[in-house]
Amino acid sequence: QVQLVESGGGLVQAGGSLRLSCEASGSILSINAMGWYRQAPGDQRELVAIITSGGSTNYADSVKGRFTISRDNAKNMVYLQMNSLKPEDTAVYYCNADLSYQTPYGRASYPNYWGQGSQVTVSS
């Protein structure tokens, strides 16, 4: 079965940096877009950054200029470099992928597949 696993979260002081990683494992056939979302308690999940297989990117206005999304297509991984972190960046960060994978019975698609989330806490 397909699984997305995030890593790299933790506690950091304001102004510091963290790098999140997400690996898609399983019998992956292809991955179109991959992205990072975040959700703070009581808030809706929001898009942070997204990258297509061709390298096109989009960022939320709140992180533009501070965060950088990248991916390694060969390794089925996506990264989020977070610099100049602010307390308002505190949230659970979720990896997301539009992917297709191989089953014993044929191809299956997940247009919106989620990881389990990774906590990022930024202290003042």
Side-chain angles (χ1 to χ4, degrees):
Q1 186 58 265
V2 173
Q3 187 174 3
L4 300 182
V5 179
E6 301 98 334
S7 61
L11 175 64
V12 66
Q13 291 183 328
S17 298
L18 285 173
R19 186 173 187 254
L20 300 180
S21 300
C22 173
E23 181 176 8
S25 61
S27 299
I28 306 296
L29 294 176
S30 64
I31 301 178
N32 188 12
M34 299 188 77
W36 291 95
Y37 295 71
R38 67 186 181 187
Q39 186 171 19
D43 293 337
Q44 293 187 357
R45 192 171 299 184
E46 64 176 357
L47 175 68
V48 177
I50 191 167
I51 185 168
T52 69
S53 60
S56 179
T57 60
N58 279 308
Y59 296 91
D61 289 341
S62 60
V63 307
K64 187 177 181 180
R66 300 187 297 120
F67 291 9
T68 302
I69 189 170
S70 61
R71 65 186 289 176
D72 186 332
N73 292 334
K75 296 181 179 180
N76 294 328
M77 296 191 70
V78 63
Y79 309 91
L80 186 67
Q81 179 66 46
M82 303 183 292
N83 298 326
S84 301
L85 283 162
K86 305 175 181 179
E88 51 262 45
D89 295 318
T90 296
V92 177
Y93 284 70
Y94 296 90
C95 180
N96 178 267
D98 175 4
L99 59 84
S100 298
Y101 67 101
Q102 184 69 52
T103 78
Y105 309 101
R107 178 180 178 273
S109 296
Y110 279 108
N112 202 18
Y113 199 93
W114 294 97
Q116 83 287 349
S118 182
Q119 178 69 47
V120 171
T121 302
V122 184
S123 63
S124 60

